[in-house]
Amino acid sequence: MRCNTRIPSGCAISGLMCESGDRVDGSAIIKSIALMHDRSNGLGGGFAAYGIYPRRANQYAFHMMFDDFAAKENFDEYIKDHFIVEKDEVMPTRPFGDITNPPVLWRYFLDVEEKKLEFVEDREYVVNMVMKINSDVPGAFVSSSGKNMGAFKGVGYPEEIGHFYKLEEYKGYIWTSHGRFPTNTPGWWGGAHPFGLLDWSIVHNGEISSYGINKRYLEMFGYKLELRTDTEVVAYLFDLLIRRHNLPMEMAVKALSAPFWDNIDRMEPQVKELMTAIRMVYGGALLNGPYSIILGHSRGMMGLNDRIKLRPMTCGRKDDMLYMASEESAIREIEPDLDTVWSPKAGEAVVGTLNGEVE
Amino acid sequence: MVMTIDAKGMYYRELNKMIRTAIEEGETEFVLDNINGQRYIGDGIKAKPKITIHGTPGNDLGVFMNGPSIEVFANGQDGIANTMNSGEIIIHGMVGDVIGYGMRGGKLMIKGDVGYRVGIHMKEYKTQVPVIVAGGCAGDFYGEYMAGGVMILLGLGAGEDKPIAGDYLGTGMHGGVIFLRGEVEEHQLGAEVAVMELDEKDVKLVTRYVTEWCGHFGYDVEEIMSEPFIKLKAVSSRPYGNLYAY
């Protein structure tokens, strides 16, 4: 399924989650995103997977990209001063298709020393470290930094990236994926989706027109936006709103995909007051522009469209499985016999929640 | 003679080329099995074959189509009947967004719900009048910038949590007509449209298309027609008619 000329289209996203916590290997998500090949142009593909490191589930798994080995050596010195490195190893890859000139890909399993946490909680410490590495350590980029999860991304078509990283050898209870068609920003390895911070990951189809406002807003809270892609703000906004401000998911979603003032005017008084407050307090977090996104985190998966639905999203369920993708066919490709299939309304979140224990 | 194609795993170009070549050789009927996600089926075909599709066709089904009759036994995706000129598409399911974009002729019959921006930029010229009949409910921007044609929405399955159509109904509409089997709130309407009652001619027109729709999907015409319809039309036609007249 490949064509030689590039046809302008749009990005592709696909996600699947087993709400009971059962784990499946990466071949299904590759098959799903590959069906939407023509929505990408070979300048970015990637995956996020949850539940892949059960034996190191309590350590922070840092998936790293380095410009060269000199950058890695420099980083190795740096990381020793800030974390306990339990294990580090080269990311398993195989040469595949058009994947050329990858950076040095390495993963680190990290613990934080007790004495570093005297004045700061460990997740906050990790976020600060990710920001520091991305902005201050030359030639080093963190592609994911959560526990028992990881991002696998690069420049290429998503199915090539999936094979390159040998995703069929990993098992996860949530898989999200992205095929990129970059429009405003460069196609480079660190700029491929998903974007991750702690266990948050975002894949995104569209563009965040409010990037400038969101970036300035996030910078006030210490986030540093270094990856030259609009989607980065979405990952950090969820971290800010949910982890740091303790908003429930449904309120965070209302801050990002806020109802229009016209609609707020017609709401019941209590809801109206709440929505007005959300819009007033979180004006800087409002995402404008066309988007459909899939958010992954350790306890679930969430799909969301912009408020006037300028990008597509279809969802489906089969037993314990929740699927969401840019096209229904991408779901049918891996589960032809769905119990239900629907297109969520603009600005309305579709939420998958982990009910069981991860095997 | 019927040409059956097993399209499992087939790339859209190969499939569409195969159909095109067979039509040139005189083929008039196709059955496409195991379709999943192949785009542009029926693209620009200027003949009148019958194409039956099993599985979910990809985006832009029937784009620029001029004559064929397509029947889909599954849901459809986005962009169906994009700039379609003539022919017919029947979908035994629901469909996605931007259906009938710039459609300029032919008929589109959909059993279930339709997504956002259905009928956007639809247009008509003399006897070339496109028609979209959908059995379910619609998302926002139904009939956005509509310049011509007929859209009928039956609202089956509508209820308290599911209005027959979303907001921005007929926003920017300046031609054509929309018939809704149900009520909408004032705030849902675009600034350019007004709600009217159906006259005798309208009832005849709606009955004709509803009868056709019922024939495809097995519903009772009388039962469907027993609920009241409203009519939506642009209040000013050709709003920019004098823009370049000096």
Side-chain angles (χ1 to χ4, degrees), chain B residues 146-148 172-176 192-193 196 233-243:
Chain B
M146 188 171 167
M173 180 173 174
H174 56 99
E192 296 81 1
V193 290
M196 301 168 189
K233 275 200 89 139
V235 277
S236 84
S237 64
R238 305 195 66 230
Y240 307 110
N242 291 318
L243 188 61

Side-chain angles (χ1 to χ4, degrees), chain B residues 12 31 50 52 75 85 90 92-93 96 105 107 110 112 116 160 189 195 204-205 229:
Chain B
Y12 79 85
V31 175
K50 181 174 162 43
T52 304
N75 294 332
N85 207 44
I90 303 152
H92 292 257
K107 257 181 296 191
I110 297 145
Y116 285 58
E160 205 148 289
L189 298 176
V195 175
K204 247 185 171 166
L205 182 87
F229 280 79

Side-chain angles (χ1 to χ4, degrees), chain A residues 1-5 7-10 35-39 260 262-263 266 307-314 326-334 341-346, chain B residues 8-13 35-40 55-59 74-78 94-97 115-117 139-141 161-163 166-168 185 187-188:
Chain A
M1 299 260 279
R2 149 173 297 277
C3 68
N4 296 320
T5 48
I7 300 164
S9 188
L35 187 90
M36 299 185 286
H37 178 87
D38 289 332
R39 299 184 74 93
F260 289 104
D262 278 357
N263 296 346
R266 288 191 299 274
R307 305 174 291 169
I308 51 173
K309 192 136 194 265
L310 289 162
R311 287 294 180 275
M313 165 104 72
T314 300
S326 306
E327 297 183 19
E328 182 180 321
S329 51
I331 301 174
R332 299 254 180 220
E333 185 72 0
I334 49 174
V341 53
W342 77 100
S343 290
K345 281 176 73 173
Chain B
K8 193 167 180 61
M10 198 182 273
Y11 192 55
Y12 79 85
R13 285 192 169 179
I35 287 288
N36 193 44
Q38 285 90 349
R39 290 183 173 195
Y40 317 119
T56 307
N59 292 357
N75 294 332
Q77 293 192 163
D78 299 333
M94 61 175 196
V95 297
D97 301 333
Y116 285 58
R117 297 183 178 78
D140 295 353
F141 304 102
D161 297 333
K162 194 178 177 188
D167 293 340
Y168 308 100
E185 306 272 343
H187 70 80
Q188 290 177 263

Side-chain angles (χ1 to χ4, degrees), chain B residues 38-130:
Chain B
Q38 285 90 349
R39 290 183 173 195
Y40 317 119
I41 296 175
D43 174 16
I45 291 173
K46 296 189 190 84
K48 293 185 174 176
K50 181 174 162 43
I51 303 172
T52 304
I53 296 177
H54 298 284
T56 307
N59 292 357
D60 287 313
L61 171 72
V63 52
F64 307 121
M65 189 172 97
N66 200 0
S69 170
I70 296 181
E71 188 160 16
V72 179
F73 291 91
N75 294 332
Q77 293 192 163
D78 299 333
I80 297 169
N82 180 355
T83 326
M84 170 171 160
N85 207 44
S86 75
E88 177 181 51
I89 301 177
I90 303 152
I91 314 263
H92 292 257
M94 61 175 196
V95 297
D97 301 333
V98 216
I99 303 305
Y101 179 12
M103 189 176 170
R104 39 204 263 178
K107 257 181 296 191
L108 181 50
M109 298 268 166
I110 297 145
K111 184 181 179 187
D113 292 344
V114 294
Y116 285 58
R117 297 183 178 78
V118 172
I120 180 170
H121 280 300
M122 230 165 116
K123 56 200 73 172
E124 66 182 62
Y125 182 69
K126 295 185 177 169
T127 54
Q128 275 283 96
V129 183

Side-chain angles (χ1 to χ4, degrees), chain A residues 43-79:
Chain A
L43 291 178
F47 300 80
Y50 292 77
I52 51 173
Y53 299 128
R55 268 177 271 166
R56 295 186 178 275
N58 293 318
Q59 295 162 4
Y60 289 98
F62 272 44
H63 284 193
M64 295 296 304
M65 294 179 174
F66 302 105
D67 285 352
D68 47 40
F69 276 97
K72 181 185 172 297
E73 273 166 35
N74 180 41
F75 173 81
D76 285 346
E77 283 305 308
Y78 181 88
I79 198 82

